[in-house]
Amino acid sequence: MHFTSRVLLILMVFVSPFIYGQQQPLDKIGPDKSPYLLLDKGLQFRITENVNALYNFDFETAERGFKVMQYQYPEHPLPYFLLGLSTWWKIAPDVENQRYDDLFIDQMDVVIDKAEALLDSDPGNKEASFFLAGAYGFQGRLYSERKSWTRATFAGKNALKYLNLSKGEDELNPELLLGDALFNYFSVWIPENYPILKPVVALFPKGNKQLGLKQLEDVAQNAFYARIEAQYFLFRLYASEEKQPYKALAITDYLHGKFPNNPYFHRSFARHLYTVGRIMEAKEESEEILKRIDEGWTGYEANSGRYASFYIAQYYERAGERTSAKKFYLKTLSYGEESETQESGYYLYSLIALGKMANEDKNKAQAKEYFNKVKKYAKRNHPAHKEARDYIKKNKL
């Protein structure tokens, strides 16, 4: 991924949580009612039912509920944002999918218009800033994926501006604590990993990574709306940055159990089973993923197939079943080419495995072809590129 794209995606992570932690003044508020729509118990139930349907890839149920909310609150950005979020999850399993781009951008534009109207009538309205930060953030993330750098940069700057305006609303914790948690973590992580951005981060309050993790745990346990969002960020951080794979596995186990039809959570669960060495279980989950792809389940496509085929191939190779291993390494290549992800580790290491098998079968020409493909698709500093060069040299291919 291009450097600018990586940076923008990191910045966007600051604003993506503000999709559920929203407050809305009601037109008619009794003495026993909260001034915030977020704390209305009846609406909590209604939103939770539809958001759960969204996470479980039942978009019809989710969007039907959001459209009812749109009818009830036509001038408020919340239902429009939730409809946009539904579109985003149609993109999320395979971000190369551009079928929904125009619809998604248009939906976020409506959110921006509604939120700006709120802010015009009440310049101190933090709720409006939340929606503006979230809408610009999601737009920037999509633009960066599409390498539309000027638009991505503009959206990213606006997202950060409104994020800063929206921070801090103790009455609504732990819902809004999610934003503070991510800010605490990434405002430290960014300058550690991208020193060039230190001057940008210096403009914001100083963060604390460990406090950020603790806050994420608090939200994951205690929030009503933001719980799943916090768990999503936690398992990704534990898996990559914090090097705690068993914690990542526990969270993805829960998420897959709660939302069994979500392909992203499903493949993440399989991935973490594989990471901790529970290879048989990873194989079983992966076989189910491939079955759902063949049956045309919503959101199950080549990107998930690439993960699943590789884990199954690894199982068979470790079991000494070379024919089956080869079959699924080849399926990994097929899914990788379909999703145009030839630079991914799954694709590259499948090529290496197939190259070694071909060499063991005395088919040096085919082995050389596989290893040359590794060199073609991997960057020179990638470990797979070095392994391919060394293997070619050692085996005189």
Side-chain angles (χ1 to χ4, degrees), residues 5-60:
S5 176
R6 290 199 305 266
V7 170
L8 283 165
L9 287 172
I10 293 164
L11 294 178
M12 291 317 115
V13 84
F14 281 176
V15 298
S16 60
F18 297 110
I19 53 185
Y20 303 125
Q22 318 305 337
Q23 75 267 28
Q24 176 188 2
L26 301 178
D27 293 332
K28 297 179 180 179
I29 302 172
D32 298 326
K33 295 250 182 132
S34 167
Y36 299 115
L37 195 62
L38 173 67
L39 302 181
D40 183 291
K41 296 299 182 183
L43 184 62
Q44 284 182 352
F45 176 79
R46 213 157 68 239
I47 290 178
T48 299
E49 180 181 12
N50 298 123
V51 169
N52 283 347
L54 184 159
Y55 273 119
N56 206 31
F57 274 57
D58 180 1
F59 296 117
E60 182 178 353

Side-chain angles (χ1 to χ4, degrees), residues 157-362:
K157 286 181 178 178
N158 278 325
L160 288 172
K161 177 179 76 173
Y162 288 113
L163 171 65
N164 200 39
L165 292 174
S166 67
K167 285 180 86 276
E169 182 62 60
D170 291 341
E171 181 180 354
L172 295 177
N173 281 347
E175 305 299 336
L176 302 186
L177 185 62
L178 180 55
D180 289 339
L182 293 172
F183 191 92
N184 269 322
Y185 190 93
F186 283 100
S187 62
V188 177
W189 185 89
I190 284 176
E192 288 178 350
N193 291 272
Y194 296 94
I196 194 173
L197 290 177
K198 282 184 180 180
V200 176
V201 177
L203 298 174
F204 296 91
K206 185 171 180 166
N208 181 320
K209 275 173 63 175
Q210 291 309 308
L211 175 60
L213 278 177
K214 182 182 181 302
Q215 289 172 326
L216 274 175
E217 291 282 9
D218 288 345
V219 178
Q221 293 176 17
N222 301 313
F224 187 81
Y225 295 103
R227 180 177 299 161
I228 303 303
E229 284 294 310
Q231 291 172 341
Y232 166 81
F233 283 107
L234 273 174
F235 86 70
R236 295 184 60 166
L237 290 176
Y238 280 136
S240 57
E241 305 306 321
E242 298 299 314
K243 311 302 181 189
Q244 298 187 56
Y246 285 98
K247 286 188 175 183
L249 173 60
I251 296 170
T252 52
D253 188 0
Y254 168 79
L255 289 173
H256 176 55
K258 185 173 179 64
F259 307 109
N261 300 337
N262 184 310
Y264 186 86
F265 294 155
H266 197 173
R267 78 182 187 218
S268 296
F269 179 46
R271 178 178 186 174
H272 296 310
L273 285 169
Y274 171 80
T275 299
V276 302
R278 291 165 60 176
I279 306 298
M280 173 62 83
E281 292 166 271
K283 169 182 173 288
E284 292 170 352
E285 292 297 336
S286 296
E287 288 171 337
E288 179 62 24
I289 290 171
L290 295 186
K291 178 174 176 286
R292 293 183 181 190
I293 293 172
D294 290 340
E295 293 174 352
W297 286 43
T298 301
Y300 283 82
E301 37 55 66
N303 209 28
S304 296
R306 177 170 55 93
Y307 286 69
S309 296
F310 184 82
Y311 302 144
I312 297 171
Q314 286 274 287
Y315 169 84
Y316 282 123
E317 183 174 9
R318 296 181 189 192
E321 299 181 38
R322 291 176 78 255
T323 301
S324 294
K326 182 178 180 180
K327 172 186 172 181
F328 284 96
Y329 280 130
L330 288 169
K331 284 180 75 73
T332 305
L333 297 188
S334 178
Y335 282 125
E337 287 156 8
E338 183 180 342
S339 59
E340 298 182 349
T341 52
Q342 290 94 330
E343 77 290 345
S344 72
Y346 296 110
Y347 188 89
L348 297 174
Y349 284 106
S350 293
L351 286 172
I352 287 175
L354 288 166
K356 290 179 178 179
M357 289 180 188
N359 190 48
E360 290 166 4
D361 292 338
K362 310 301 182 185

